[in-house]
Amino acid sequence: MATAEMAEPLYTRDILRLAADSAELVRLDDPHGRAEARSPVCGSAMIAEVTIDGQGRVAAFGGEVHACAMGQASATLVMRHAAGMTPGDVAAARDGLIRYLGGETDKLPWAEMAVFAPVRSRPARHGAIMLPFDAMLAAIESAR
């Protein structure tokens, strides 16, 4: 017997809208840092590129995402929030989302992350959602 959470549709209209918006993510002309990341569970992949300002914050974020709708939706959220973030900000958002997906908290770093509620009971999907965060952190590190 399926739980109520499992009965929820996985790919909601909001997730699909965010996934479609991932087409706005484009490669940067002259990135300071670049990284490729892959989710070993599902095979989703992402190239992340960043430029960093004089204060060590993300000035621009770009790249390519080759992932399911979950990974694409997550990439859109990262893209929308990237400007002005420090590595600590990215790590905090990532860690907060991990805790949310794992059921440890209902508090979200970004309100829009609530779209991933149907995925909380599906850990195999978590890697694709975390992929843009991991790729962005690696790109920031490569810029140092």
Side-chain angles (χ1 to χ4, degrees):
M1 183 178 247
T3 65
E5 194 169 275
M6 289 291 286
E8 271 186 74
L10 182 61
Y11 293 106
T12 65
R13 184 176 5 166
D14 291 334
I15 287 172
L16 294 174
R17 280 188 190 133
L18 284 171
D21 288 348
S22 72
E24 297 172 18
L25 184 67
V26 296
R27 301 289 293 267
L28 300 179
D29 289 332
D30 191 21
H32 298 152
R34 181 181 181 279
E36 295 183 36
R38 180 173 299 279
S39 172
V41 174
C42 66
S44 292
M46 180 162 184
I47 297 169
E49 297 173 331
V50 294
T51 58
I52 305 296
D53 69 16
Q55 287 76 44
R57 296 181 179 277
V58 174
F61 174 74
E64 289 178 20
V65 62
H66 302 282
C68 66
M70 295 300 166
Q72 291 173 9
S74 183
T76 297
L77 292 181
V78 169
M79 173 183 64
R80 290 179 179 171
H81 286 267
M85 294 185 80
T86 66
D89 295 335
V90 179
R94 178 189 183 280
D95 294 347
L97 182 54
I98 288 171
R99 286 191 298 278
Y100 173 76
L101 291 173
E104 297 172 37
T105 184
D106 287 328
K107 185 178 178 192
L108 289 164
W110 307 332
E112 304 97 312
M113 291 175 173
V115 301
F116 297 122
V119 187
R120 292 177 87 177
S121 63
R122 295 174 169 102
R125 302 293 182 146
H126 297 181
I129 294 168
M130 301 318 303
L131 185 66
F133 292 91
D134 295 337
M136 184 177 179
L137 283 169
I140 292 169
E141 183 60 33
S142 79
R144 291 183 175 179

